Amino acid sequence: MHSSGAGVDGARGVLAVDSTAPGAAPRGLDAFRRGWETQIGDDVFQLPAFSADTIGDFRVKGNVAKVHGAAIADLHAASATRTADAPGGDQDLVAMYVVQRGAWTLGGPPGRGEQTVPAGQFLVRHVGRLTAFETTAHLTAKFLVLPPGELKPLLGNRVITGPADSAEIRLLTALTDMIHATVADLGPAGVEATHGALIELAKAVVKGRFDDVEPRLAPALTQAAKDLADRRLADPELSPAMLARELNVSVRTLHRAFAAVGEQVATYIRHRRLQEARLALTAPSGRLSISELAAHWQFADSSHFTRTFKKHYGQTPTEYARSTGAASLSPNRHLPGHGSAESA
């Protein structure tokens, strides 16, 4: 377990824990608790008492980032966890659970029973008192602790649930990933702006929509679009229009978000496809021909692919493969293109 990036004013902190290594589990919960109390603080969220079996077998790997009164935890739990039957303790916060794998079962207030967040779902609720919970083994989830000020009036006594691939959760996920990567290096103004964007997107999740002209959300929207594009690079339907539709924004809003960070949607897609094609050219086995690469990465034809590749990298695909020694890796299958495709 290690931690870093705690601001002098306590506005931010970074905590990493890994008790999945052999022999680490008996001390895993203690290390996590010490790190949380030091870097995140009980003023954000008071860790509950855990059951004896959890204490003895706490195999969890994750990262936690603090931004003012908010904390974002990315957790991968190899072991099941369970709190003590009656954790106790007053709280006043909004908690969000986004489960990618496994399940997280939450105890409710008296008379409201348990609620389970299964894989592929999220849940948001206001928490006024610590309640029991348990997680399955092999859990992958995000856990967000958020200050109640702007969110509690929107929630009231409601519990908001929905699919984890909704547009609002995709944007929130993109933002939280950016926070984990940058929070230790942010200055006071960056911390303030990041906190504001986090609250705006949390409000969007609660309301089921977000303010698409809010400038603070442009980086998150851009990153969410990039994440989606990266998963669909070989899809012939990939386009600015498809990304905008998936993220529930207008094409104009998407273009405006990319422009705010100095990029263009179509350019990003083209460059990423070229990057993947370049990697494929040096694959040690099963290398595709130029025409096959062009078709796979959705270029109009091999001539168009070759021209675009050379413009971007300064070499044709064949020249690049030869310069890296890849051509000798597949002696029985040469790269085509000594004709019209390479000379076009």
Side-chain angles (χ1 to χ4, degrees):
M1 191 276 291
H2 68 273
S3 56
S4 62
V8 173
D9 61 358
R12 57 195 167 99
V14 179
L15 165 66
V17 63
D18 185 357
S19 60
T20 60
R27 302 181 302 276
L29 182 56
D30 287 342
F32 184 78
R33 189 179 294 278
R34 284 196 306 271
W36 184 284
E37 292 171 352
T38 301
Q39 299 298 323
I40 308 304
D42 283 345
D43 59 320
V44 176
F45 177 74
Q46 178 185 348
L47 291 177
F50 284 92
S51 63
D53 52 343
T54 298
I55 294 171
D57 185 27
F58 187 79
R59 288 175 288 123
V60 174
K61 181 178 181 179
N63 296 285
V64 187
K66 174 187 177 182
V67 184
H68 282 313
I72 306 153
D74 280 342
L75 301 173
H76 305 274
S79 60
T81 66
R82 183 167 59 87
T83 61
D85 292 337
D90 292 332
Q91 298 272 263
D92 185 18
L93 55 89
V94 169
M96 183 182 301
Y97 310 80
V98 184
V99 178
Q100 287 95 36
R101 184 184 181 193
W104 198 320
T105 298
L106 309 166
R112 292 179 59 180
E114 294 182 339
Q115 295 170 307
T116 296
V117 190
Q121 294 288 306
F122 76 87
L123 181 148
V124 188
R125 66 177 185 175
H126 173 256
V127 177
R129 185 171 178 82
L130 280 177
T131 56
F133 69 79
E134 61 182 276
T135 67
T136 62
H138 308 297
L139 173 84
T140 299
K142 283 185 181 287
F143 172 52
L144 282 75
V145 178
L146 302 165
E150 297 182 62
L151 295 167
K152 184 178 177 180
L154 292 175
L155 277 168
N157 293 322
R158 295 184 302 152
V159 173
I160 306 296
T161 61
D165 64 351
S166 69
E168 294 77 22
I169 292 292
R170 280 176 170 167
L171 264 67
L172 185 68
T173 297
L175 178 63
T176 59
D177 290 343
M178 293 165 65
I179 291 173
H180 277 292
T182 62
V183 69
D185 300 318
L186 291 177
V191 171
E192 189 67 35
T194 299
H195 180 266
L198 181 62
I199 297 303
E200 285 298 318
L201 279 177
K203 288 162 61 177
V205 171
V206 172
K207 294 187 291 185
R209 58 181 174 80
F210 66 94
D211 183 355
D212 61 5
V213 299
E214 169 55 62
R216 290 178 296 184
L217 303 187
L221 177 54
T222 301
Q223 189 60 51
K226 288 179 177 180
D227 292 344
L228 182 56
D230 287 347
R231 294 194 296 271
R232 305 279 188 89
L233 283 176
D235 188 340
E237 300 299 320
L238 178 60
S239 66
M242 185 270 270
L243 293 174
R245 184 172 62 252
E246 291 283 335
L247 294 171
N248 199 27
V249 299
S250 68
V251 176
R252 183 171 180 270
T253 293
L254 185 63
H255 283 307
R256 189 168 59 233
F258 269 75
V261 297
E263 297 186 77
Q264 295 180 333
V265 187
T267 300
Y268 177 80
I269 294 172
R270 182 171 65 253
H271 286 178
R272 284 290 294 114
R273 283 173 165 169
L274 285 171
Q275 288 171 1
E276 293 299 323
R278 183 178 65 164
L279 290 174
L281 283 168
T282 60
S285 62
R287 229 170 350 101
L288 300 178
S289 69
I290 297 296
S291 59
E292 289 169 332
L293 281 173
H296 183 77
W297 296 113
Q298 305 306 315
F299 291 89
D301 51 40
S302 56
S303 296
H304 177 230
F305 170 59
T306 297
R307 287 195 302 270
T308 305
F309 191 98
K310 184 173 183 179
K311 182 177 180 180
H312 192 68
Y313 292 114
Q315 295 176 300
T316 66
T318 295
E319 290 168 346
Y320 176 80
R322 285 175 174 164
S323 72
T324 61
S328 63
L329 296 173
S330 183
N332 297 323
R333 184 177 187 185
H334 70 281
L335 285 168
H338 298 290
S340 60
E342 290 287 3
S343 59

